[in-house]
Amino acid sequence: MRLLDLVETSLAVAATRRRGDKIARMAALIARAAPPEVETVVAYLSGTARQGRLGVGWAQLAGAKDVAPAAEASLGVDDADTALARVAATSGPGSTAARVDTLRALFTRATAPEQEFLVRLLMGELRQGALEGLVIDAVARAAGLAPDLVRRATMMTGNLGQVARVALTEGAPALARLGVEVFRPVQPMLADTAESAADALAALGDASLEYKLDGARIQVHRDGDDVRVYSRALNDVTPAVPEIVDLVRALPARRLVLDGEVIALRRDGTPHPFQVTMRRFGRRLDVDALRTELPLQGFLFDALLVDNDVLVDAPQHRRFEALREVVPGPPGAGPGAGPGADASAGPGADAGADAGADADADASASRLLVVPHLVTASPDEADAFMRRALAAGHEGLVAKARQSSYAAGSRGASWLKVKQAQTLDLVVLAAEWGNGRRQGWLSNLHLGARDPELGAFVMLGKTFKGLTDAMLAWQTERLLALEIGRDRYIVHVRPELVVEIAFNDLQVSPNYPGGLALRFARVKRYRTDKPASEADTIATVQGIYQRMTGSPPPPRR
């Protein structure tokens, strides 16, 4: 299949607002793909490279794409995939130049539309209004199968491309066999957001509450003495976490698929910031030294498989009971958890009392624990549990419907997270045109902090979250009045409009000139009462980062 055929389908999908038309166009393309091409076609339609993140920054991409486009289309989908696979595999001395050379050769063969498509694909900005849910429906239509069958297989395998290939070549019986298996990671279940603990209970009723940790999501698989650990993105990170491997190998069950998080703790039992924990996953060298310097604490909160018992469709309370039978020691007995954080405690239990009291001088030793936990329908008890989680240095709580099954890969109303957010008043620097339901509106906002020394603004990230239809309509009209230039997707504006942004964290980022990026940013409200000259400064942002991490902010680029 020609890459241009896929690019033209992508453009057509982006140009229509009708869900049925998007699915029909993608299904027609998928049905035409040869079996070896299916995984790449599905990945590109979903807006990602089949190899995942390639470690290619804007500077490398800019150096590679500075070539004249080809006059005629000659690239196949497999040609692009082979080139990107070579980029992903390139490492070591001279790898940067080698990656640029490979990309330059690819761009030399690409037409102008193909070049633009590849740039946006590699930068994660391919906004064609085709989220994975739509692509799943397109795969189902192309294969003549029920969408629910394709959706469940995708959740169980975490790989829509693989599912599409099986669906098109082997059909429904083969898809039905794609259930929970050891060493085939499952897409993690995700939580939606609630404004408060009381709101979460109002939605769920009698609920299971757990500490919301700001760690690294892990999925642990075991078969006998063979243990592997997978990341949130389903990457194998086993070599980075040897202490977790040792702890899982010591558990009584022989076959396991468990869900949880790891987090690095200070010696007083309080958690290090997310960025510190992620140091354990950022490199594979000196793991032994890092293990001593930055030991990881494992907190488990779900069991998908225990020995021969597949639990993914069991209710949450049954899965948690199975987890507690496997993991030794009193639930929640770790640093910051305190006594009483027990699933069986029920309403009125003093879950997590005296948070941090049991953290001793050896709090940094690696352990494997069940997450601090409470079952209640009382808003007062939920608020108290939330306060104890925050006092112990954690993010907040997650409320879970006790009868809910494990909806792999889904972000729904069965799990609700409640976190304490910070806010900044930032300036809108640009906005991207929306897709799907938001087509015709300026949606994704580019956000900047004020730099008084340079008389400019420093970009900190983007967000389209928190916007109501009324806000989308208002900001589109307002931003178009401030327009100073545009390209196909982005409208650049005079930096005059101030918006209050809630966020949960700051992380080091080489992608932005300030060296920092917002995590989980969302719009709270527009500050029409506030001029841009009174927006928060980059120095304020750096100060927040230093308070959160105890480390100096990264240098600006």
Side-chain angles (χ1 to χ4, degrees):
M1 176 182 290
R2 297 188 312 165
L3 180 62
L4 186 61
D5 294 334
L6 191 149
V7 171
E8 289 174 345
T9 297
S10 173
L11 293 172
V13 168
T16 181
R17 299 182 64 175
R18 293 174 58 86
R19 176 187 175 89
D21 289 347
K22 291 177 184 287
I23 292 171
R25 291 179 184 277
M26 291 188 292
L29 184 78
I30 293 168
R32 288 172 47 203
E37 299 171 332
V38 169
E39 293 192 38
T40 302
V41 169
V42 167
Y44 287 6
L45 288 176
S46 301
T48 62
R50 191 172 60 84
Q51 296 77 17
R53 291 186 178 273
L54 301 181
V56 176
W58 175 252
Q60 295 178 37
L61 195 56
K65 73 181 186 69
D66 188 21
V67 294
E72 296 183 1
S74 64
L75 273 177
V77 167
D78 55 344
D79 295 324
D81 182 62
T82 299
L84 298 187
R86 189 177 302 122
V87 171
T90 302
S91 60
S95 60
T96 298
R99 287 174 178 169
V100 170
D101 288 344
T102 300
L103 289 173
R104 180 179 287 271
L106 176 63
F107 279 107
T108 299
R109 296 182 58 194
T111 63
E114 291 169 330
Q115 284 187 349
E116 184 176 355
F117 176 89
L118 289 168
V119 168
R120 294 194 175 277
L121 180 76
L122 293 173
M123 294 305 295
E125 296 183 350
L126 189 60
R127 307 192 181 283
Q128 53 196 4
L131 299 177
E132 187 174 83
L134 286 180
V135 183
I136 286 173
D137 287 347
V139 169
R141 180 175 297 189
L145 299 175
D148 285 348
L149 182 60
V150 177
R151 186 170 295 108
R152 179 175 175 79
T154 302
M155 291 175 179
M156 293 300 103
T157 63
N159 188 327
L160 177 55
Q162 175 194 355
V163 168
R165 179 174 49 78
V166 171
L168 289 163
T169 59
E170 301 179 55
L175 278 191
R177 293 193 294 270
L178 296 178
V180 177
E181 289 187 10
V182 177
F183 305 138
R184 188 169 66 193
V186 174
Q187 286 189 346
M189 185 170 177
L190 306 174
D192 209 337
T193 301
E195 290 296 321
S196 66
D199 287 344
L201 290 186
L204 302 179
D206 188 36
S208 171
L209 307 183
E210 300 169 1
Y211 279 13
K212 174 70 178 72
L213 310 176
D214 191 20
R217 186 80 172 261
I218 59 167
Q219 193 176 116
V220 175
H221 289 236
R222 178 187 181 184
D223 190 353
D225 289 334
D226 193 359
V227 175
R228 299 179 204 171
V229 181
Y230 300 93
S231 70
R232 180 189 183 100
L234 310 186
N235 297 319
D236 190 334
V237 294
T238 307
V241 290
E243 64 266 58
I244 302 301
V245 172
D246 292 342
L247 292 165
V248 172
R249 194 173 283 139
L251 296 177
R254 301 292 293 172
R255 298 181 72 246
L256 291 168
V257 177
L258 305 177
D259 195 3
E261 292 200 14
V262 290
I263 190 167
L265 299 175
R266 301 181 177 94
R267 293 195 62 81
D268 65 357
T270 59
H272 280 293
F274 174 77
Q275 300 96 317
V276 176
T277 293
M278 290 308 294
R279 286 176 53 199
R280 288 294 303 268
F281 298 88
R283 56 182 175 175
R284 296 295 175 89
L285 301 177
D286 299 324
V287 172
D288 289 340
L290 274 175
R291 179 176 179 174
T292 301
E293 173 191 346
L294 204 63
L296 293 175
Q297 166 74 67
F299 285 99
L300 299 173
F301 48 72
D302 221 316
L304 308 187
L305 183 148
V306 176
D307 287 327
N308 294 318
D309 192 2
V310 177
L311 298 163
V312 67
D313 292 322
Q316 186 273 338
H317 69 86
R318 171 71 186 94
R319 301 197 309 274
F320 198 86
E321 289 167 3
L323 176 66
R324 292 180 59 202
E325 292 169 2
V326 171
V327 180
D342 191 331
S344 62
D350 187 19
D354 300 323
D358 59 346
D360 55 26
D362 194 34
S364 61
S366 298
R367 283 179 283 179
L368 200 60
L369 302 172
V370 175
V371 70
H373 173 263
L374 170 69
V375 175
T376 187
S378 165
D380 290 340
E381 290 177 358
D383 285 339
F385 188 76
M386 171 88 169
R387 289 194 297 272
R388 285 190 288 271
L390 296 173
H394 300 298
E395 282 192 310
L397 62 82
V398 178
K400 299 181 178 180
R402 302 191 70 220
Q403 297 301 322
S404 61
S405 60
Y406 191 92
S410 174
R411 186 187 300 278
S414 295
W415 288 11
L416 297 173
K417 59 187 175 184
V418 182
K419 298 193 286 187
Q420 190 175 50
Q422 302 186 71
T423 64
L424 285 167
D425 288 338
L426 301 176
V427 174
V428 180
L429 307 178
E432 299 173 15
W433 290 107
N435 292 294
R437 190 181 63 80
R438 294 187 174 192
Q439 189 165 356
W441 285 332
L442 288 173
S443 176
N444 202 24
L445 302 175
H446 296 206
L447 305 167
R450 187 164 53 91
D451 185 341
E453 294 182 6
L454 297 180
F457 294 88
V458 182
M459 189 169 172
L460 296 172
K462 308 175 186 179
T463 190
F464 56 84
K465 298 183 182 298
L467 293 166
T468 64
D469 287 356
M471 294 172 75
L472 284 165
W474 180 87
Q475 76 181 22
T476 299
E477 180 180 0
R478 186 75 180 89
L479 292 172
L480 288 177
L482 297 172
E483 179 181 353
I484 57 175
R486 70 170 69 188
D487 60 24
R488 180 170 184 159
Y489 295 95
I490 303 173
V491 173
H492 301 273
V493 300
R494 294 196 304 275
E496 297 179 8
L497 191 59
V498 178
V499 60
E500 184 178 357
I501 298 294
F503 66 101
N504 293 104
D505 201 357
L506 290 164
Q507 65 184 12
V508 176
S509 173
N511 296 324
Y512 295 116
L516 293 171
L518 303 171
R519 291 185 69 215
F520 307 113
R522 60 261 187 209
V523 174
K524 285 198 71 176
R525 57 174 174 154
Y526 275 98
R527 296 297 306 269
T528 54
D529 60 320
K530 200 168 193 177
S533 60
E534 295 180 9
D536 286 311
T537 66
I538 185 62
T540 297
V541 178
Q542 291 171 327
I544 293 172
Y545 176 83
Q546 188 154 0
R547 289 194 300 274
M548 293 172 65
T549 65
S551 302
R556 295 176 56 178
R557 294 170 50 214

